[in-house]
Amino acid sequence: MSTEKKVRVRFAPSPTGYLHVGGARSALFNFLFARRMGGDFLLRIEDTDRTRFVEDALTEIYDSLKWLGLNWDEGPAVGGGYGPYVQSERLDIYGRMADQLIGSGHAYRCFCTSERLAEVRAEQEKSGGATGYDKRCRNLSAEEVDKNLKEGVPHVVRLKIPEGRTVAFEDLIRGRIEYKSEALDDLVLIKADKFPTYHMANVVDDHEMAITHVLRGDEWIASTPRHVLLYEAFGWEPPAFAHLPVILSPDGGKLSKRKGAASVMDYKRGGILPEALFNFLALLGWAPGDDREKMSLEETIAAFSLEHVSPKAAVLDEKKLEWMNGQYLAERKAETLIDDVVSMWKDKGWINDGIDNEYAIKVIDMLKVRSRRVTDLADSASYFFIDPVDYEEKAAKKHFGPEAVERLGLITKIIEGIDDFTHTNIDAAYHNTAESQNIQLSALIHPTRLAISGVSAGPGLFEMMEVIGKDVVLKRIDKAVKWINR
Ligand code: GLU
């Protein structure tokens, strides 16, 4: 491949389901490679398998890519000079290309019925040999073919796999990979319904769209020798290939729905930020070559190279994702979270329509530095809106014993004595009382926190009290006393 060619890569999902981590990682590596090399990142929709088409998958794929910031330079919605970018709109191209291969003797029409193919297979299985098409239609005479065509006998188009060849390609991540051509079947290029197979459409489009590098998951390795032979049959130069390592679930098994194979939108709903998922996915098989983990988009692009993609399986570590998300969450400006978080609070029923923005920002600022997921900002925030309905059992045993009534009485006095209810004033008042009464500060702090929030852990108590306000704080302490005396 000539070095001055502009790098062009593509993400080519089939709309058979939502965008999961594996697909998102492929899209992301293509995106990073394009950005690093100053190339183009294309999106192409491979929708020729109509039996597996899922109606709303397309919209969700687009939304997921956009949410992650993987904006494509060419493709559906944005256009480009090599369209259309949806394969079902390119059927005539594949038909023409198949005719070309038949004309040059590299492909042939096969009229075998599915019954016959099943019989052949059953025979092969019985004799314990390799299974595969027995190539019967390779040698049909021109007259036989014509007669069948005239009679409208359904047929497929197959590639003639050359015999006795070693098919090799240089994988940019794994090195040289070889296959014996005997191991490859005369694969179908055009199906009886005139739709192309994945192999045909994929190769034709990669060529037609001037793709220079194919970066895809390693489940496609076995397809690559077939593609190499197809490029050869066309007389085209194949692109470079790089197969990305498999992603395993934390227990080492295959990713499955139950074990971590969540969709991008599931992560969003689970309170993961796009920049955190981006960073996390980038490290699934790639590393910058030093010990950096949390990296900005710009840093990741600058450091990205295929040399640092490992062929070894990558393990999806949710704990690491949560840790990373917590880091990004702490850095986020509260204003950027407010819409999502407020709607979660509404869903919980803690607020009705309106909320004072300033109040919401204070609450978010307080909680985001100690949360891992955006959803934590809702799950642990009830006491900023409603009185505790219950008290954490273990903490109540410790801090709400009979003697606590007197302690809470003292606390009420302290609070009543604070005119300007700021955290610095509250802080000073608590310290003064602890000193003058010769009691531990914690003996004041723990019961107060439990009375106000119902739980034993949370953000800085005095800041929290300031935000919640003096009246509510006093009311809740009174409620706690009644609860103890109940
Ligand atoms: N349509 C294939 C998929 O769904 C594309 C594989 C490739 O990148 O060649 O993953």
Side-chain angles (χ1 to χ4, degrees):
M1 196 181 52
S2 61
T3 44
E4 66 271 18
K5 247 200 224 164
K6 185 175 194 194
V7 163
R8 285 172 62 81
V9 291
R10 83 313 192 264
F11 175 53
S14 300
T16 52
Y18 299 148
L19 187 63
H20 287 78
V21 269
R25 196 270 312 258
S26 294
L28 190 130
F29 278 35
N30 276 285
F31 172 86
L32 287 173
F33 187 63
R35 291 292 169 269
R36 176 75 183 88
M37 306 300 287
D40 297 325
F41 171 57
L42 282 70
L43 176 64
R44 181 174 74 223
I45 301 302
E46 304 209 324
D47 61 344
T48 58
D49 189 351
R50 304 313 285 181
T51 56
R52 294 176 60 220
F53 189 77
V54 174
E55 197 49 49
D56 52 351
L58 264 186
T59 340
E60 178 143 333
I61 289 172
Y62 298 151
D63 290 348
S64 304
L65 291 172
K66 283 190 227 154
W67 181 72
L68 273 172
L70 301 177
N71 298 314
W72 51 100
D73 305 311
E74 288 175 34
V78 305
Y82 296 79
Y85 295 90
V86 177
Q87 290 188 328
S88 58
E89 296 167 21
R90 302 171 61 82
L91 297 182
D92 55 323
I93 304 178
Y94 313 122
R96 261 198 335 267
M97 294 293 181
D99 287 345
Q100 187 183 315
L101 286 182
I102 294 171
S104 64
H106 289 96
Y108 61 95
R109 295 181 208 277
C110 167
F111 298 90
C112 291
T113 59
S114 44
E115 289 77 28
R116 171 162 196 277
L117 295 178
E119 273 166 31
V120 170
R121 190 180 187 87
E123 272 306 308
Q124 289 166 334
E125 272 165 6
K126 215 161 68 195
S127 62
T131 56
Y133 180 54
D134 65 356
K135 302 175 183 166
R136 183 166 98 163
C137 290
R138 258 198 195 204
N139 306 311
L140 292 183
S141 66
E143 291 73 39
E144 280 171 294
V145 172
D146 276 348
K147 183 167 162 283
N148 282 337
L149 284 179
K150 266 197 204 97
E151 287 169 8
V153 182
H155 68 275
V156 301
V157 177
R158 288 182 188 272
L159 180 69
K160 256 184 217 171
I161 296 283
E163 276 156 31
R165 281 272 308 276
T166 299
V167 190
F169 61 94
E170 208 49 45
D171 186 290
L172 295 178
I173 296 169
R174 285 149 216 272
R176 190 180 165 83
I177 298 181
E178 285 185 2
Y179 280 80
K180 293 263 171 270
S181 66
E182 279 64 42
L184 310 171
D185 219 354
D186 274 4
L187 59 133
V188 174
L189 303 177
I190 304 283
K191 295 176 275 187
D193 62 4
K194 302 272 182 276
F195 273 74
T197 53
Y198 152 73
H199 302 294
M200 177 70 172
N202 189 271
V203 165
V204 166
D205 286 350
D206 281 346
H207 174 75
E208 293 282 301
M209 296 180 182
I211 297 302
T212 56
H213 296 74
V214 168
L215 275 52
R216 61 183 167 205
D218 68 353
E219 69 271 29
W220 300 100
I221 289 184
S223 295
T224 307
R226 295 168 169 86
H227 295 184
V228 169
L229 289 174
L230 197 43
Y231 280 102
E232 187 180 299
F234 277 120
W236 296 337
E237 189 186 0
F241 294 100
H243 291 94
L244 309 175
V246 68
I247 304 173
L248 300 178
S249 71
D251 67 5
K254 239 183 98 132
L255 270 195
S256 66
K257 257 246 146 73
R258 256 185 327 110
K259 289 195 259 163
S263 73
V264 169
M265 287 296 142
D266 284 338
Y267 282 110
K268 178 175 189 249
R269 284 185 284 272
I272 298 296
L273 294 167
E275 62 271 33
L277 188 57
F278 188 107
N279 192 160
F280 176 75
L281 290 173
L283 297 174
L284 279 182
W286 172 80
D290 48 45
D291 55 7
R292 279 178 297 170
E293 291 224 290
K294 182 166 171 289
M295 295 173 74
S296 70
L297 171 65
E298 292 72 28
E299 286 172 317
T300 309
I301 291 173
F304 191 79
S305 81
L306 291 178
E307 285 87 68
H308 282 125
V309 177
S310 160
K312 281 205 231 93
V315 177
L316 188 110
D317 180 355
E318 287 258 345
K319 287 270 165 299
K320 181 167 157 185
L321 172 60
E322 280 195 334
W323 166 79
M324 204 166 247
N325 202 59
Q327 307 278 309
Y328 281 103
L329 190 54
E331 279 173 16
R332 271 288 194 107
K333 284 226 167 332
E335 286 80 354
T336 66
L337 299 164
I338 201 164
D339 289 347
D340 286 344
V341 174
V342 166
S343 86
M344 288 178 207
W345 290 339
K346 277 186 189 154
D347 288 347
K348 298 263 184 194
W350 297 337
I351 53 173
N352 300 320
D353 296 339
I355 175 163
D356 177 21
N357 250 14
E358 221 176 294
Y359 187 79
I361 286 173
K362 277 188 194 151
V363 174
I364 293 172
D365 272 334
M366 213 168 266
L367 292 174
K368 74 182 170 77
V369 287
R370 38 181 307 118
S371 299
R372 286 169 310 161
R373 294 173 180 261
V374 183
T375 41
D376 294 344
L377 295 178
D379 295 341
S380 65
S382 68
Y383 51 83
F384 283 106
F385 306 97
I386 54 169
D387 295 348
V389 276
D390 229 327
Y391 302 98
E392 206 179 282
E393 208 183 315
K394 230 171 109 195
K397 272 213 181 92
K398 215 159 145 197
H399 306 299
F400 279 1
E403 78 293 343
V405 173
E406 201 194 315
R407 188 61 44 86
L408 287 168
L410 174 62
I411 288 168
T412 304
K413 277 218 187 70
I414 306 176
I415 294 171
E416 278 170 347
I418 306 170
D419 287 333
D420 187 9
F421 204 62
T422 63
H423 66 269
T424 16
N425 289 347
I426 305 170
D427 192 329
Y430 268 65
H431 273 91
N432 289 341
T433 308
E435 219 164 280
S436 63
Q437 307 274 323
N438 198 21
I439 45 177
Q440 296 258 315
L441 187 63
S442 60
L444 297 174
I445 282 183
H446 291 317
T448 312
R449 180 187 291 284
L450 190 60
I452 295 173
S453 70
V455 290
S456 57
L461 176 67
F462 305 134
E463 282 88 357
M464 183 174 119
M465 289 167 78
E466 177 185 325
V467 170
I468 291 175
K470 186 169 167 177
D471 292 348
V472 176
V473 166
L474 284 171
K475 183 181 82 184
R476 289 189 187 169
I477 291 174
D478 187 46
K479 243 184 120 177
V481 170
K482 292 205 174 89
W483 184 86
I484 298 166
N485 289 331
R486 76 203 181 281

PDB file of all heavy atoms in Angstrom, residues 84-105:
ATOM      1  N   PRO A  84     -24.257   5.614  -1.568  1.00  0.00           N
ATOM      2  CA  PRO A  84     -24.890   5.588  -0.238  1.00  0.00           C
ATOM      3  C   PRO A  84     -24.124   4.710   0.767  1.00  0.00           C
ATOM      4  O   PRO A  84     -23.384   3.817   0.362  1.00  0.00           O
ATOM      5  CB  PRO A  84     -26.280   5.003  -0.519  1.00  0.00           C
ATOM      6  CG  PRO A  84     -26.200   4.343  -1.844  1.00  0.00           C
ATOM      7  CD  PRO A  84     -25.092   4.989  -2.603  1.00  0.00           C
ATOM      8  N   TYR A  85     -24.332   4.981   2.052  1.00  0.00           N
ATOM      9  CA  TYR A  85     -23.585   4.291   3.096  1.00  0.00           C
ATOM     10  C   TYR A  85     -24.413   3.221   3.805  1.00  0.00           C
ATOM     11  O   TYR A  85     -24.031   2.732   4.843  1.00  0.00           O
ATOM     12  CB  TYR A  85     -23.040   5.314   4.107  1.00  0.00           C
ATOM     13  CG  TYR A  85     -22.021   6.238   3.474  1.00  0.00           C
ATOM     14  CD1 TYR A  85     -22.397   7.440   2.881  1.00  0.00           C
ATOM     15  CD2 TYR A  85     -20.675   5.880   3.430  1.00  0.00           C
ATOM     16  CE1 TYR A  85     -21.461   8.275   2.272  1.00  0.00           C
ATOM     17  CE2 TYR A  85     -19.728   6.695   2.829  1.00  0.00           C
ATOM     18  CZ  TYR A  85     -20.133   7.901   2.245  1.00  0.00           C
ATOM     19  OH  TYR A  85     -19.194   8.702   1.647  1.00  0.00           O
ATOM     20  N   VAL A  86     -25.559   2.923   3.207  1.00  0.00           N
ATOM     21  CA  VAL A  86     -26.414   1.856   3.741  1.00  0.00           C
ATOM     22  C   VAL A  86     -26.475   0.770   2.671  1.00  0.00           C
ATOM     23  O   VAL A  86     -26.848   1.040   1.527  1.00  0.00           O
ATOM     24  CB  VAL A  86     -27.822   2.410   4.055  1.00  0.00           C
ATOM     25  CG1 VAL A  86     -28.741   1.306   4.550  1.00  0.00           C
ATOM     26  CG2 VAL A  86     -27.733   3.542   5.082  1.00  0.00           C
ATOM     27  N   GLN A  87     -26.068  -0.438   3.032  1.00  0.00           N
ATOM     28  CA  GLN A  87     -25.883  -1.466   1.991  1.00  0.00           C
ATOM     29  C   GLN A  87     -27.156  -1.820   1.244  1.00  0.00           C
ATOM     30  O   GLN A  87     -27.103  -2.120   0.057  1.00  0.00           O
ATOM     31  CB  GLN A  87     -25.235  -2.710   2.613  1.00  0.00           C
ATOM     32  CG  GLN A  87     -23.782  -2.440   2.987  1.00  0.00           C
ATOM     33  CD  GLN A  87     -23.024  -3.675   3.423  1.00  0.00           C
ATOM     34  OE1 GLN A  87     -23.598  -4.580   4.012  1.00  0.00           O
ATOM     35  NE2 GLN A  87     -21.726  -3.699   3.156  1.00  0.00           N
ATOM     36  N   SER A  88     -28.292  -1.763   1.922  1.00  0.00           N
ATOM     37  CA  SER A  88     -29.531  -2.131   1.209  1.00  0.00           C
ATOM     38  C   SER A  88     -29.837  -1.132   0.096  1.00  0.00           C
ATOM     39  O   SER A  88     -30.667  -1.403  -0.761  1.00  0.00           O
ATOM     40  CB  SER A  88     -30.696  -2.240   2.191  1.00  0.00           C
ATOM     41  OG  SER A  88     -30.872  -1.026   2.878  1.00  0.00           O
ATOM     42  N   GLU A  89     -29.153  -0.002   0.088  1.00  0.00           N
ATOM     43  CA  GLU A  89     -29.345   0.962  -0.996  1.00  0.00           C
ATOM     44  C   GLU A  89     -28.289   0.798  -2.093  1.00  0.00           C
ATOM     45  O   GLU A  89     -28.200   1.615  -3.007  1.00  0.00           O
ATOM     46  CB  GLU A  89     -29.273   2.396  -0.443  1.00  0.00           C
ATOM     47  CG  GLU A  89     -30.394   2.715   0.530  1.00  0.00           C
ATOM     48  CD  GLU A  89     -30.157   4.017   1.309  1.00  0.00           C
ATOM     49  OE1 GLU A  89     -29.372   4.868   0.838  1.00  0.00           O
ATOM     50  OE2 GLU A  89     -30.757   4.146   2.389  1.00  0.00           O
ATOM     51  N   ARG A  90     -27.494  -0.253  -2.001  1.00  0.00           N
ATOM     52  CA  ARG A  90     -26.393  -0.443  -2.947  1.00  0.00           C
ATOM     53  C   ARG A  90     -26.499  -1.776  -3.691  1.00  0.00           C
ATOM     54  O   ARG A  90     -25.523  -2.246  -4.272  1.00  0.00           O
ATOM     55  CB  ARG A  90     -25.058  -0.401  -2.198  1.00  0.00           C
ATOM     56  CG  ARG A  90     -24.818   0.885  -1.438  1.00  0.00           C
ATOM     57  CD  ARG A  90     -23.590   0.797  -0.530  1.00  0.00           C
ATOM     58  NE  ARG A  90     -22.355   0.538  -1.245  1.00  0.00           N
ATOM     59  CZ  ARG A  90     -21.632   1.474  -1.865  1.00  0.00           C
ATOM     60  NH1 ARG A  90     -22.015   2.729  -1.829  1.00  0.00           N
ATOM     61  NH2 ARG A  90     -20.539   1.154  -2.511  1.00  0.00           N
ATOM     62  N   LEU A  91     -27.689  -2.373  -3.676  1.00  0.00           N
ATOM     63  CA  LEU A  91     -27.828  -3.739  -4.188  1.00  0.00           C
ATOM     64  C   LEU A  91     -27.387  -3.866  -5.646  1.00  0.00           C
ATOM     65  O   LEU A  91     -26.770  -4.863  -6.040  1.00  0.00           O
ATOM     66  CB  LEU A  91     -29.281  -4.210  -4.037  1.00  0.00           C
ATOM     67  CG  LEU A  91     -29.777  -4.305  -2.579  1.00  0.00           C
ATOM     68  CD1 LEU A  91     -31.204  -4.828  -2.553  1.00  0.00           C
ATOM     69  CD2 LEU A  91     -28.860  -5.191  -1.747  1.00  0.00           C
ATOM     70  N   ASP A  92     -27.685  -2.861  -6.455  1.00  0.00           N
ATOM     71  CA  ASP A  92     -27.311  -2.959  -7.871  1.00  0.00           C
ATOM     72  C   ASP A  92     -25.798  -3.064  -8.047  1.00  0.00           C
ATOM     73  O   ASP A  92     -25.312  -3.746  -8.951  1.00  0.00           O
ATOM     74  CB  ASP A  92     -27.888  -1.764  -8.655  1.00  0.00           C
ATOM     75  CG  ASP A  92     -27.469  -0.441  -8.053  1.00  0.00           C
ATOM     76  OD1 ASP A  92     -27.394  -0.363  -6.796  1.00  0.00           O
ATOM     77  OD2 ASP A  92     -27.185   0.513  -8.797  1.00  0.00           O
ATOM     78  N   ILE A  93     -25.053  -2.406  -7.148  1.00  0.00           N
ATOM     79  CA  ILE A  93     -23.579  -2.463  -7.245  1.00  0.00           C
ATOM     80  C   ILE A  93     -23.098  -3.908  -7.044  1.00  0.00           C
ATOM     81  O   ILE A  93     -22.296  -4.426  -7.825  1.00  0.00           O
ATOM     82  CB  ILE A  93     -22.914  -1.551  -6.183  1.00  0.00           C
ATOM     83  CG1 ILE A  93     -23.431  -0.118  -6.333  1.00  0.00           C
ATOM     84  CG2 ILE A  93     -21.391  -1.620  -6.274  1.00  0.00           C
ATOM     85  CD1 ILE A  93     -22.871   0.863  -5.308  1.00  0.00           C
ATOM     86  N   TYR A  94     -23.632  -4.574  -6.006  1.00  0.00           N
ATOM     87  CA  TYR A  94     -23.178  -5.943  -5.730  1.00  0.00           C
ATOM     88  C   TYR A  94     -23.562  -6.876  -6.885  1.00  0.00           C
ATOM     89  O   TYR A  94     -22.803  -7.769  -7.254  1.00  0.00           O
ATOM     90  CB  TYR A  94     -23.765  -6.455  -4.409  1.00  0.00           C
ATOM     91  CG  TYR A  94     -23.644  -5.461  -3.277  1.00  0.00           C
ATOM     92  CD1 TYR A  94     -24.766  -5.001  -2.598  1.00  0.00           C
ATOM     93  CD2 TYR A  94     -22.397  -4.951  -2.913  1.00  0.00           C
ATOM     94  CE1 TYR A  94     -24.659  -4.077  -1.577  1.00  0.00           C
ATOM     95  CE2 TYR A  94     -22.279  -4.017  -1.887  1.00  0.00           C
ATOM     96  CZ  TYR A  94     -23.427  -3.574  -1.224  1.00  0.00           C
ATOM     97  OH  TYR A  94     -23.317  -2.655  -0.228  1.00  0.00           O
ATOM     98  N   GLY A  95     -24.735  -6.657  -7.447  1.00  0.00           N
ATOM     99  CA  GLY A  95     -25.186  -7.482  -8.564  1.00  0.00           C
ATOM    100  C   GLY A  95     -24.230  -7.343  -9.743  1.00  0.00           C
ATOM    101  O   GLY A  95     -23.783  -8.329 -10.336  1.00  0.00           O
ATOM    102  N   ARG A  96     -23.883  -6.103 -10.060  1.00  0.00           N
ATOM    103  CA  ARG A  96     -22.950  -5.827 -11.160  1.00  0.00           C
ATOM    104  C   ARG A  96     -21.595  -6.474 -10.906  1.00  0.00           C
ATOM    105  O   ARG A  96     -20.989  -7.085 -11.780  1.00  0.00           O
ATOM    106  CB  ARG A  96     -22.758  -4.308 -11.290  1.00  0.00           C
ATOM    107  CG  ARG A  96     -23.584  -3.672 -12.361  1.00  0.00           C
ATOM    108  CD  ARG A  96     -23.094  -2.299 -12.788  1.00  0.00           C
ATOM    109  NE  ARG A  96     -22.328  -1.518 -11.860  1.00  0.00           N
ATOM    110  CZ  ARG A  96     -22.828  -0.598 -11.020  1.00  0.00           C
ATOM    111  NH1 ARG A  96     -24.122  -0.361 -11.018  1.00  0.00           N
ATOM    112  NH2 ARG A  96     -22.049   0.102 -10.224  1.00  0.00           N
ATOM    113  N   MET A  97     -21.127  -6.344  -9.691  1.00  0.00           N
ATOM    114  CA  MET A  97     -19.806  -6.880  -9.341  1.00  0.00           C
ATOM    115  C   MET A  97     -19.799  -8.411  -9.421  1.00  0.00           C
ATOM    116  O   MET A  97     -18.814  -9.018  -9.825  1.00  0.00           O
ATOM    117  CB  MET A  97     -19.423  -6.449  -7.920  1.00  0.00           C
ATOM    118  CG  MET A  97     -19.220  -4.964  -7.788  1.00  0.00           C
ATOM    119  SD  MET A  97     -17.756  -4.447  -8.726  1.00  0.00           S
ATOM    120  CE  MET A  97     -17.762  -2.710  -8.349  1.00  0.00           C
ATOM    121  N   ALA A  98     -20.919  -9.011  -9.043  1.00  0.00           N
ATOM    122  CA  ALA A  98     -21.002 -10.477  -9.107  1.00  0.00           C
ATOM    123  C   ALA A  98     -20.963 -10.919 -10.563  1.00  0.00           C
ATOM    124  O   ALA A  98     -20.259 -11.882 -10.914  1.00  0.00           O
ATOM    125  CB  ALA A  98     -22.270 -10.956  -8.418  1.00  0.00           C
ATOM    126  N   ASP A  99     -21.682 -10.204 -11.413  1.00  0.00           N
ATOM    127  CA  ASP A  99     -21.662 -10.534 -12.847  1.00  0.00           C
ATOM    128  C   ASP A  99     -20.243 -10.436 -13.389  1.00  0.00           C
ATOM    129  O   ASP A  99     -19.810 -11.261 -14.205  1.00  0.00           O
ATOM    130  CB  ASP A  99     -22.577  -9.571 -13.630  1.00  0.00           C
ATOM    131  CG  ASP A  99     -24.049  -9.875 -13.365  1.00  0.00           C
ATOM    132  OD1 ASP A  99     -24.330 -10.975 -12.828  1.00  0.00           O
ATOM    133  OD2 ASP A  99     -24.907  -9.021 -13.655  1.00  0.00           O
ATOM    134  N   GLN A 100     -19.539  -9.422 -12.925  1.00  0.00           N
ATOM    135  CA  GLN A 100     -18.164  -9.240 -13.377  1.00  0.00           C
ATOM    136  C   GLN A 100     -17.312 -10.463 -13.018  1.00  0.00           C
ATOM    137  O   GLN A 100     -16.537 -10.952 -13.831  1.00  0.00           O
ATOM    138  CB  GLN A 100     -17.610  -7.983 -12.690  1.00  0.00           C
ATOM    139  CG  GLN A 100     -16.246  -7.542 -13.161  1.00  0.00           C
ATOM    140  CD  GLN A 100     -15.781  -6.330 -12.332  1.00  0.00           C
ATOM    141  OE1 GLN A 100     -16.556  -5.387 -12.100  1.00  0.00           O
ATOM    142  NE2 GLN A 100     -14.546  -6.364 -11.871  1.00  0.00           N
ATOM    143  N   LEU A 101     -17.506 -10.971 -11.803  1.00  0.00           N
ATOM    144  CA  LEU A 101     -16.716 -12.141 -11.373  1.00  0.00           C
ATOM    145  C   LEU A 101     -17.117 -13.401 -12.140  1.00  0.00           C
ATOM    146  O   LEU A 101     -16.276 -14.247 -12.437  1.00  0.00           O
ATOM    147  CB  LEU A 101     -16.898 -12.383  -9.873  1.00  0.00           C
ATOM    148  CG  LEU A 101     -16.190 -11.417  -8.934  1.00  0.00           C
ATOM    149  CD1 LEU A 101     -16.430 -11.840  -7.489  1.00  0.00           C
ATOM    150  CD2 LEU A 101     -14.687 -11.360  -9.211  1.00  0.00           C
ATOM    151  N   ILE A 102     -18.407 -13.506 -12.458  1.00  0.00           N
ATOM    152  CA  ILE A 102     -18.850 -14.662 -13.247  1.00  0.00           C
ATOM    153  C   ILE A 102     -18.203 -14.572 -14.631  1.00  0.00           C
ATOM    154  O   ILE A 102     -17.642 -15.545 -15.148  1.00  0.00           O
ATOM    155  CB  ILE A 102     -20.398 -14.699 -13.363  1.00  0.00           C
ATOM    156  CG1 ILE A 102     -21.019 -14.936 -11.980  1.00  0.00           C
ATOM    157  CG2 ILE A 102     -20.842 -15.797 -14.340  1.00  0.00           C
ATOM    158  CD1 ILE A 102     -22.537 -14.787 -11.935  1.00  0.00           C
ATOM    159  N   GLY A 103     -18.217 -13.365 -15.176  1.00  0.00           N
ATOM    160  CA  GLY A 103     -17.637 -13.139 -16.501  1.00  0.00           C
ATOM    161  C   GLY A 103     -16.160 -13.481 -16.548  1.00  0.00           C
ATOM    162  O   GLY A 103     -15.661 -14.048 -17.532  1.00  0.00           O
ATOM    163  N   SER A 104     -15.437 -13.170 -15.478  1.00  0.00           N
ATOM    164  CA  SER A 104     -13.989 -13.412 -15.487  1.00  0.00           C
ATOM    165  C   SER A 104     -13.659 -14.829 -15.033  1.00  0.00           C
ATOM    166  O   SER A 104     -12.497 -15.186 -14.893  1.00  0.00           O
ATOM    167  CB  SER A 104     -13.282 -12.385 -14.595  1.00  0.00           C
ATOM    168  OG  SER A 104     -13.696 -12.558 -13.248  1.00  0.00           O
ATOM    169  N   GLY A 105     -14.693 -15.627 -14.759  1.00  0.00           N
ATOM    170  CA  GLY A 105     -14.470 -17.028 -14.389  1.00  0.00           C
ATOM    171  C   GLY A 105     -14.110 -17.232 -12.926  1.00  0.00           C
ATOM    172  O   GLY A 105     -13.683 -18.316 -12.533  1.00  0.00           O
TER     173      GLY A 105
END
